[in-house]
Amino acid sequence: NYGITRGWVAHHQADIWRQSAPVGNYFGSPAYACWPMGGPWLSHHLWERWLFGGDIEFLRDRAWPLMKGAAEFCLDFLIEDERGFLVTNPSTSPEHRFVLPDGSTASVSMASTMDMALIRDLFSSCIETADILGVDRDFRDELKSALDRLYPAPLGDNGELLEWFRDFKSSDPHHRHIAHLYALHPGNHITKYGTPKLFEAARKTLELRGDGGTGWSLAWKVNFWARMGDGDRAYSLMKKLMNLVDSKVTNIAEGGGLYPNMFDAHPPFQIDGNFGVTAGIAEMLLQSHAHEIELLPALPKIWSEGCVSGLRARTGYEVDINWDNGRMIEAVILTDFPQTCRVRYGDKVAEFDAQPGEAIRIDGALQLIPGN
């Protein structure tokens, strides 16, 4: 029986005319054309805007209706597998293919790891939003029930996070996309202290995939390794992204780096890498996705001394940091509204009472600096 699906859906490359069907003039390869996860992806940005800014009117009037609609579609799109898990089907992992037993390749299966990570992220943020706004209790309970039944992140024999629901052989082991690490970045369901086993599985995945890629792919890897806390690896990828590429190059495989005009190299051109690497630099200096402010989480050795000011942290913080000889000297934290501020630096963790207009000044031991 086919019923009416609630909510809204968009594949990638939705345009100003609100085209939401698969792209490719209706005959594009499902490896890139079949991706109905635009709703969860875009909803993440709405939720992040709330987390960084704390604008309750934006959350209630603009973000929530869109987030709810995206979640409604996902609820109706999910089906139950033979073990009782909720899965997406059909499902793809963007632009990548796997090898079938007969040696042919395919791109469509079910429950790709990216699909499940996107939906887990969306349902979690919607549940929290409903609590914050005090609305839609029945819908919140529906999401909570579904969240508990989502297909779990699968691990391979080598300890890596799998890209598909089973251990298919990759058609390109060093493929530029690493979509299955969405829960590491930009999501937050894989963290060092919260999910250590999955965190190490993500590290193994990054090692297996390698350091190749076009400009935007390298920017993703800068962010991934920053979340891993490996500043030197992130820095090496950042340098690789800065390689000069001839603007006449048309082969994607040769497209990693920057064109002479400093645009990100991915023939013919994609600006993702330009924006993405700046995000990666910020992630090397400050992270706040794990419900705490982590200072200098992935500082490369070459940046032995320096300072940064005006970095934004979730939930409504502004942070300045000074460091010398690879060690933090001072951090200044300002908040937009009263809250408890949890701060991490290395293996040290401290909590402070944060009040608007009152700067929290701390040293490398996370002690308040006299005169604060």
Side-chain angles (χ1 to χ4, degrees):
N1 294 326
Y2 294 91
I4 297 176
T5 302
R6 295 173 294 171
W8 61 277
V9 60
H11 293 256
H12 87 298
Q13 295 185 354
D15 56 31
I16 196 171
W17 291 276
R18 295 180 286 184
Q19 159 75 4
S20 62
V23 300
N25 199 23
Y26 302 101
F27 53 80
S29 167
Y32 64 84
C34 181
W35 192 73
M37 290 290 111
W41 181 276
L42 294 172
S43 293
H44 177 82
H45 294 276
L46 300 173
W47 175 243
E48 288 278 274
R49 174 168 169 175
W50 152 255
L51 288 179
F52 278 102
D55 185 341
I56 194 70
E57 291 185 1
F58 168 82
L59 182 67
R60 181 187 62 240
D61 300 335
R62 298 184 63 187
W64 175 238
L66 292 168
M67 292 168 63
K68 181 180 178 181
E72 286 175 328
F73 168 79
C74 289
L75 282 169
D76 291 353
F77 183 59
L78 290 165
I79 63 171
E80 188 176 286
D81 73 359
E82 65 276 8
R83 292 189 291 170
F85 290 116
L86 294 178
V87 300
T88 54
N89 191 5
S91 178
T92 63
S93 193
E95 300 188 20
H96 201 185
R97 300 172 182 270
F98 53 90
V99 180
L100 296 172
D102 64 3
S104 63
T105 62
S107 54
V108 179
S109 62
M110 71 176 193
S112 73
T113 300
M114 187 191 200
D115 276 8
M116 305 316 299
L118 280 160
I119 293 173
R120 185 171 287 107
D121 181 84
L122 174 63
F123 286 5
S124 297
S125 60
C126 283
I127 290 168
E128 193 167 344
T129 300
D131 286 338
I132 292 169
L133 299 177
V135 297
D136 296 291
R137 304 304 299 178
D138 291 343
F139 184 64
R140 177 202 178 278
D141 292 342
E142 185 181 4
L143 290 173
K144 183 67 170 63
S145 177
L147 181 65
D148 294 338
R149 297 175 58 204
L150 292 179
Y151 193 85
L155 301 183
D157 292 339
N158 295 316
E160 78 278 22
L161 187 68
L162 296 180
E163 188 163 359
W164 295 280
F165 80 104
R166 85 173 42 150
D167 201 352
F168 293 122
K169 180 181 178 182
S170 168
S171 66
D172 180 3
H174 302 297
H175 195 269
R176 61 190 177 276
H177 277 274
I178 319 181
H180 46 311
L181 293 190
Y182 178 92
L184 174 69
H185 173 83
N188 69 342
H189 281 86
I190 295 179
T191 61
K192 181 177 181 179
Y193 302 104
T195 58
K197 185 176 180 179
L198 288 177
F199 188 78
E200 291 306 314
R203 185 190 303 276
K204 184 67 174 180
T205 294
L206 285 169
E207 293 285 4
L208 291 171
R209 194 54 64 96
D211 290 346
T214 58
W216 61 261
S217 176
L218 295 173
W220 271 106
K221 292 176 181 179
V222 170
N223 282 273
F224 286 141
W225 282 109
R227 287 279 173 101
M228 284 284 136
D230 192 332
D232 291 332
R233 189 72 172 264
Y235 179 77
S236 70
L237 285 159
M238 189 176 73
K239 285 183 61 180
K240 192 171 184 177
L241 190 146
M242 301 295 177
N243 288 338
L244 179 64
V245 175
D246 191 325
S247 59
K248 297 183 178 64
V249 169
T250 59
N251 185 353
I252 288 178
E254 301 173 19
L258 295 176
Y259 294 125
N261 64 358
M262 299 295 287
F263 281 0
D264 170 46
H266 177 103
F269 158 65
Q270 291 183 355
I271 202 168
D272 312 40
N274 296 90
F275 294 146
V277 74
T278 58
I281 292 169
E283 289 283 340
M284 294 161 75
L285 300 174
L286 179 73
Q287 294 178 20
S288 59
H289 62 285
H291 308 292
E292 60 187 16
I293 296 174
E294 185 168 7
L295 304 168
L296 305 181
L299 186 71
K301 291 184 178 66
I302 197 168
W303 295 349
S304 61
E305 60 180 308
C307 63
V308 63
S309 62
L311 286 180
R312 195 72 177 176
R314 307 168 185 86
T315 49
Y317 293 103
E318 185 176 309
V319 183
D320 303 342
I321 314 171
N322 286 276
W323 67 93
D324 187 36
N325 198 27
R327 303 293 300 173
M328 189 183 83
I329 303 301
E330 179 183 10
V332 180
I333 302 172
L334 294 169
T335 182
D336 289 344
F337 44 85
Q339 55 185 317
T340 298
C341 179
R342 179 180 169 89
V343 182
R344 178 183 296 275
Y345 175 59
D347 59 357
K348 304 180 185 69
V349 179
E351 290 188 350
F352 305 94
D353 178 33
Q355 298 294 329
E358 298 179 8
I360 299 172
R361 296 178 62 239
I362 52 178
D363 60 21
L366 300 189
Q367 299 294 317
L368 288 170
I369 295 175
N372 186 40

